[in-house]
Amino acid sequence: MEYLPQEIVLDILSRLPVTSLLHFKLVCKAWLNTAQNPLLPSLQFSRMAKNDPCLILHCDYPIRNQLYSFELSSRDEDNQTVHQIRVPALPEFDVVGSCKGLLCLCDSSTKNRLYVYNPFTRNYVELPKSTEFQTQDVVFGFGFHPTTNKYKVVKIDYCRKTHGNHRYYRGYGKSEVQILTLGSQEWRSLGQVNYHMLEAPSQVLVNGRLHWCTWPRYRGPSRLLISFDIADEQFRVVEKPDELHRIHYDLVNLGGCLSAAVPCSSGKEIWVMKEYDVKESWIKEYNIGIHVPRGLEQDLSQSFRDSKFFRNRSFVRVLCLLKNGEILLEYKCRALVSYNPRNEMFKDLLLHGTPNLFEASVHEGSLSWIDSFSDNDK
């Protein structure tokens, strides 16, 4: 390998899964230096559009505070194994989001300690603490904008009002939006926001914007679809079809398109916005029937039922669109299934080492080093 030009070596390495690169850099010091070349992560990301991502599984039972990974590109091999990831000694955490090789983690109890972590290089940073408020709801966002080349964390604090026993958001009340650019030492205040975003397992990043749907408002208009532009830091309403006005749906990024997964009597319908921010481009593209994977056949113990994952998640969650056209699904935080829309067939993914209860995040594995990001004003 020492006789090959450096650009050819990097081109070859950029085509390998991140787990293979981890083994590569352990061979010798020269190979370690090559794997740490700052050009390698950018080459990796330029090729990710042609490959399936990996999954990060956040385990809640039997061991909390544990992460596992699985390369989706290797899922057709005979030996399909989920690998445990060594996690730093952190407080019990939630996964805020995954973006361009990095995870954002949040302290589950206080919601005021945040970490950015690369699960493959295992380096991480604790972010500066934001201003604390006496709030009932905290919604986070974590994103990257390809034009500005900056990662940002958004924190929205709400003082929620209720109507009787119903969790309707009555008026806009008090809210506070704070934002931190990765590499900066201070959070910036963006003031209030006139929307009450619904916290989800992971916010959706499409076209350089984070997206949430809002809580239904008591005697108010239908729930809204809201975006936050990572570049200009503005909230905007995204137009959606009339069929999505009042029903519950989960947002998902399918093949780079903003999509809404809607539960129905026959399973799940998926609406896809083919052209970003064009209302007329929304189409109902997928209908996923009812399926009960083998992983859900066993009885649940009380430990399962007490899990924060089990209580707060829908029965089936759409994760991503694979390169072969199949859709990856997560069932009640206990089973992974691929669905082929061409023949309407389901395939249970029985992966060795899968934890009993988990929340899956679609992740782009990378050897990016967090400390390479410099301080930025915005």
Side-chain angles (χ1 to χ4, degrees), residues 232-295:
D232 66 18
E233 301 179 355
Q234 297 295 313
F235 290 95
R236 297 179 176 89
V237 176
V238 179
E239 296 293 333
K240 61 184 187 301
D242 296 338
E243 290 84 350
L244 299 181
H245 271 358
R246 284 199 172 274
I247 60 176
H248 172 74
Y249 53 87
D250 296 325
L251 297 176
V252 61
N253 183 331
L254 284 188
C257 294
L258 182 63
S259 307
V262 183
C264 60
S265 58
S266 60
K268 208 86 162 177
E269 298 176 348
I270 303 180
W271 288 75
V272 179
M273 186 167 59
K274 291 294 189 176
E275 185 178 351
Y276 186 77
D277 214 10
V278 177
K279 179 180 179 180
E280 293 74 20
S281 71
W282 283 95
I283 62 170
K284 186 169 66 175
E285 187 161 4
Y286 302 101
N287 286 281
I288 301 176
I290 296 174
H291 175 70
V292 180
R294 280 187 281 174

Side-chain angles (χ1 to χ4, degrees), residues 63 163 241 271 280 342 356:
I63 302 175
H163 178 72
W271 288 75
E280 293 74 20
R342 293 183 293 273
N356 294 330

Side-chain angles (χ1 to χ4, degrees), residues 75-124:
R75 67 187 186 93
D76 291 326
E77 298 177 1
D78 295 332
N79 184 21
Q80 301 185 99
T81 303
V82 171
H83 298 282
Q84 184 174 339
I85 297 173
R86 188 182 302 172
V87 180
L90 303 176
E92 184 172 338
F93 60 81
D94 296 324
V95 177
V96 170
S98 166
C99 180
K100 201 172 175 64
L102 303 179
L103 294 176
C104 184
L105 311 177
C106 157
D107 186 335
S108 302
S109 58
T110 67
K111 301 290 186 180
N112 200 42
R113 297 181 66 183
L114 291 164
Y115 307 84
V116 174
Y117 172 57
N118 186 323
F120 294 105
T121 64
R122 298 201 294 269
N123 68 317
Y124 74 98

Side-chain angles (χ1 to χ4, degrees), residues 1 58-60 70 82 171 173 182 186 279 289 304 306 333 376:
M1 193 184 72
H58 180 199
C59 176
D60 193 52
F70 174 66
V82 171
L182 186 58
E186 293 185 355
K279 179 180 179 180
F304 277 98
D306 289 341
C333 301
N376 293 285

Side-chain angles (χ1 to χ4, degrees), residues 121-177:
T121 64
R122 298 201 294 269
N123 68 317
Y124 74 98
V125 293
E126 180 175 356
L127 302 182
K129 288 188 176 181
S130 60
T131 303
E132 293 190 64
F133 297 91
Q134 297 297 320
T135 59
Q136 292 177 303
D137 282 332
V138 179
V139 175
F140 289 103
F142 177 55
F144 175 87
H145 199 284
T147 302
T148 62
N149 205 38
K150 296 173 183 176
Y151 292 86
K152 294 182 180 180
V153 182
V154 182
K155 181 185 178 186
I156 310 173
D157 294 90
Y158 291 105
C159 180
R160 189 180 66 227
K161 299 178 181 179
T162 60
H163 178 72
N165 294 323
H166 300 283
R167 296 182 70 188
Y168 288 102
Y169 186 59
R170 301 184 62 196
Y172 295 128
K174 293 182 179 180
S175 65
E176 178 71 21
V177 182

